[in-house]
Amino acid sequence: MPAALIPKEEVLARLLEVFREYGYEGASLAVLSEATGLGRSSLYHHFPGGKEEMATSVLAYLDGLLKQALYAPLETMASPNKKLGAMLAVLDEVYDGGTKACLLERLCASAGRPVIGGPLRRSFELWLTAFETLGVDAGIPRAVARSRAEDALGRIEGALVVGAGTGNKRVFARALKDVRATLLANKETVAS
Amino acid sequence: MPAALIPKEEVLARLLEVFREYGYEGASLAVLSEATGLGRSSLYHHFPGGKEEMATSVLAYLDGLLKQALYAPLETMASPNKKLGAMLAVLDEVYDGGTKACLLERLCASAGRPVIGGPLRRSFELWLTAFETLGVDAGIPRAVARSRAEDALGRIEGALVVGAGTGNKRVFARALKDVRATLLANKETVAS
DNA sequence: GTCTATATAATGATAGAC
DNA sequence: GTCTATCATTATATAGAC
């Protein structure tokens, strides 16, 4: 039997790129095949469940990346603020300064498919829980930390959307800066 | 010749609903046909350019809705704050409290198609300019008003994404509240 | 302006050789 | 584990009757 052309993790990484650029419906097997360098049959060998299994496997692979990017910093001895800085630095890199789309957002249009919607929601929750946990670590009441986490993720996702629609990267840079300043802050807004 | 079953504006409204739920690639002619009650050939009679023309026509139709929702309030005599309240009230209704997706976001995955990307960017700009103009009306320097407009639209889009992925509507409600409080404010963030 | 019927291409998915 | 060849289905799009 022929040796694997590329490691399975590399296959997943390339599939991820396609799904996050084109979404689920837009990611045709032709494109997925070209991106991985594997023929259709090879893809079906790795993912007997077809395109849906490719998408769910990619979501599981993303969960691993999220754990690296968001949960690894949580387990260090650094201050909550430093941990947040580490998380946001990785996100800035992953989204290439706001020029690359988010897989979670691109899959939302296909959340109606049960095999997508379930894992998708779990990936959202994984991210939210990381932010929430960081807030709790910083001494913020859990309910508040949870709301802040949702708002922070919303800021990031929305900045990527506006960036994709307008080509403006500064929105994303400001979003990261704002999350940096507000997620853990004892803040109040003062009108003058 | 048979009479039109429904006015063209109603056709556009129904096409809009499909595109904003499923995105461009996910909106098949079968679904578009069913949603409008028109056969394929009737759709091609109205939109000779096929699905791409349906999408661009829907974007143009959305521009009209945006002008109603965002520019009509601008031309009233009310205070900037009242105008903002009117805008956000319409948005809250249009997105059904955060349960309906935004067409602009759902089309971003297909922005690579030139016929989509151009009009899409123009629709984003239309929205941003409305928010920016309101800020300028309120006495905010244009550059600041522009940034605030981008951030506000980002907050709204991101809240819809998080809402779609998690099923949580409160994110959207808080986003509207935050835009209400920050778009026109003389604000500063105070850490205590 | 709408319909039925059809053309043509692309899609997701399989079978079987190596 | 990968390939070529092919399947059935769905997709977009057209032709022509009424």
Side-chain angles (χ1 to χ4, degrees):
Chain A
M1 66 181 69
L5 291 184
I6 55 177
K8 183 141 188 179
E9 182 169 338
E10 179 64 23
V11 172
L12 288 167
R14 298 190 188 183
L15 293 179
L16 169 57
E17 286 307 306
V18 176
F19 280 118
R20 91 152 149 188
E21 184 171 353
Y22 299 105
Y24 181 80
E25 314 293 341
S28 69
L29 285 183
V31 175
L32 294 165
S33 175
E34 189 190 17
T36 55
L38 297 175
R40 283 162 155 70
S41 296
S42 299
L43 285 175
Y44 275 86
H45 171 79
H46 289 288
F47 310 98
K51 202 171 123 174
E52 288 195 333
E53 186 178 342
M54 295 179 212
T56 54
S57 299
V58 161
L59 270 175
Y61 173 66
L62 176 73
D63 283 355
L65 297 182
L66 284 179
K67 282 174 187 162
Q68 260 186 268
L70 304 179
Y71 285 82
L74 277 181
E75 289 163 12
T76 64
M77 295 296 184
S79 70
N81 248 303
K82 289 244 179 196
K83 290 178 185 174
L84 178 56
M87 293 179 182
L88 298 182
V90 177
L91 292 177
D92 193 26
E93 186 188 13
V94 166
Y95 295 112
D96 198 16
T99 59
K100 286 188 174 178
C102 178
L103 176 70
L104 301 183
E105 181 259 318
R106 289 287 151 95
L107 289 185
C108 278
S110 303
R113 295 171 183 256
V115 285
I116 303 282
L120 183 59
R121 177 182 293 231
R122 262 172 264 132
S123 294
F124 267 102
E125 289 300 335
L126 187 70
W127 189 327
L128 290 173
T129 302
F131 276 176
E132 174 191 331
T133 302
L134 182 61
V136 172
D137 283 0
I140 299 172
R142 183 168 296 275
V144 177
R146 167 72 190 194
S147 293
R148 296 244 190 122
E150 293 167 355
D151 293 347
L153 180 52
R155 284 209 62 105
I156 291 168
E157 295 291 345
L160 291 173
V161 169
V162 174
T166 66
N168 182 346
K169 311 195 309 180
R170 289 185 300 260
V171 194
F172 182 73
R174 286 200 306 272
L176 286 192
K177 208 171 158 188
D178 185 81
V179 170
R180 186 85 170 82
T182 60
L183 186 64
L184 305 177
N186 271 337
K187 71 164 198 300
E188 41 184 314
T189 298
V190 178
S192 60
Chain B
M1 64 181 72
L5 292 184
I6 54 177
K8 183 139 187 181
E9 183 169 340
E10 179 64 23
V11 172
L12 287 167
R14 297 191 188 183
L15 293 179
L16 169 57
E17 285 309 304
V18 177
F19 279 117
R20 90 152 151 187
E21 184 170 355
Y22 299 105
Y24 181 80
E25 314 294 340
S28 70
L29 285 183
V31 176
L32 294 166
S33 174
E34 189 190 18
T36 55
L38 296 175
R40 285 162 157 68
S41 296
S42 299
L43 285 175
Y44 276 87
H45 171 78
H46 289 288
F47 310 98
K51 201 171 123 173
E52 288 194 332
E53 186 178 343
M54 294 179 211
T56 55
S57 299
V58 161
L59 270 175
Y61 173 67
L62 176 72
D63 283 355
L65 297 182
L66 284 180
K67 283 174 185 162
Q68 260 187 267
L70 304 179
Y71 285 83
L74 278 182
E75 289 164 11
T76 63
M77 295 295 184
S79 72
N81 248 305
K82 288 244 178 196
K83 290 176 184 175
L84 178 56
M87 293 178 183
L88 297 182
V90 177
L91 292 176
D92 192 26
E93 186 189 13
V94 166
Y95 295 111
D96 199 17
T99 59
K100 285 188 173 178
C102 177
L103 176 69
L104 302 184
E105 181 259 318
R106 288 287 152 96
L107 289 185
C108 277
S110 303
R113 295 172 183 257
V115 286
I116 304 282
L120 182 59
R121 176 181 294 231
R122 260 171 266 131
S123 295
F124 268 102
E125 289 299 336
L126 188 70
W127 189 326
L128 290 173
T129 301
F131 276 176
E132 175 192 329
T133 302
L134 181 62
V136 171
D137 281 1
I140 299 172
R142 182 168 297 276
V144 177
R146 167 73 189 195
S147 293
R148 295 244 190 119
E150 292 166 356
D151 293 347
L153 179 52
R155 282 210 64 104
I156 291 168
E157 295 291 344
L160 291 172
V161 169
V162 174
T166 65
N168 180 345
K169 311 195 309 179
R170 288 186 300 261
V171 195
F172 182 73
R174 287 200 306 273
L176 285 191
K177 208 171 159 190
D178 184 81
V179 170
R180 186 85 170 84
T182 59
L183 186 63
L184 305 176
N186 271 338
K187 73 165 195 304
E188 42 184 309
T189 301
V190 178
S192 58

